[in-house]
Amino acid sequence: MPQGGIDAGESPRIAALRELQEETGLTEEVVSIVGESEGWIRYDLPSDLIGKAFKGRFRGQEQKWFLMRFDGPDTQISIDTEHPEFGRWQWMTPEDLLASIVPFKRETYAAVFAEFGDRIRETS
C-alpha cells in the first residue's frame, strides 16, 4: 500500500499515482482509480516513535486513500526503484494485511478497508 507526501501544487490523486510509480514502478497506464476515501484518515505515531520516525518531523500522518485496480501482469511490478522503500512485495487479502501490519497502523488500514468495502473484492 504505497504511501507518501503531496508535493506543492500537486493534487492528492496525482500524488497517489506518483507515489505508486516511485515505489512500485507502475505507471498510470496500468492502473485505474476506482475509489477515493471520502475524507482524510489520520493516525498518530506511538510515543516511542515520536521524534524518531519521519526524521523526527511529524507525530503522525493524515492521508487521502485511493483504491486502484492493477490491469497488468505482476512482472510489471518493480520495487527495485531509484530509492527502494521495500525489500519484497506480495498480494494480500485485507484480513492478512491487517494481521501483519504494525499495530499503530492497524486501525487506519481497517478504516480504509471498511470505507472501500465490497469494491476491494470487486477489483480483485
Side-chain angles (χ1 to χ4, degrees):
M1 296 178 67
Q3 303 169 39
I6 299 173
D7 292 340
E10 197 174 46
S11 71
R13 180 177 290 254
I14 296 300
L17 291 167
R18 177 184 50 75
E19 286 291 337
L20 179 70
Q21 183 171 5
E22 287 177 5
E23 296 180 19
T24 67
L26 297 176
T27 63
E28 62 183 295
E29 289 79 29
V30 295
V31 297
S32 306
I33 295 178
V34 296
E36 177 178 342
S37 61
E38 186 173 317
W40 294 79
I41 300 173
R42 178 179 172 71
Y43 73 85
D44 293 316
L45 289 170
S47 58
D48 62 315
L49 291 180
I50 293 174
K52 298 175 186 169
F54 303 130
K55 300 179 183 174
R57 297 183 301 187
F58 304 102
R59 300 179 58 87
Q61 287 191 330
E62 189 173 61
Q63 302 171 320
K64 184 70 145 167
W65 285 84
F66 293 87
L67 177 62
M68 299 182 193
R69 178 180 38 247
F70 173 48
D71 296 317
D74 288 356
T75 55
Q76 287 186 287
I77 300 169
S78 174
I79 59 171
D80 184 22
T81 59
E82 184 177 344
H83 302 285
E85 296 189 34
F86 304 105
R88 65 183 184 90
W89 75 271
Q90 69 185 66
W91 294 114
M92 299 177 81
T93 65
E95 297 79 20
D96 289 340
L97 182 59
L98 287 174
S100 66
I101 194 66
V102 294
F104 72 88
K105 286 188 177 182
R106 195 166 289 137
E107 189 174 309
T108 299
Y109 282 34
V112 171
F113 293 144
E115 183 167 345
F116 290 143
D118 291 336
R119 288 184 290 169
I120 292 172
R121 300 256 186 251
E122 292 167 8
T123 61
S124 312

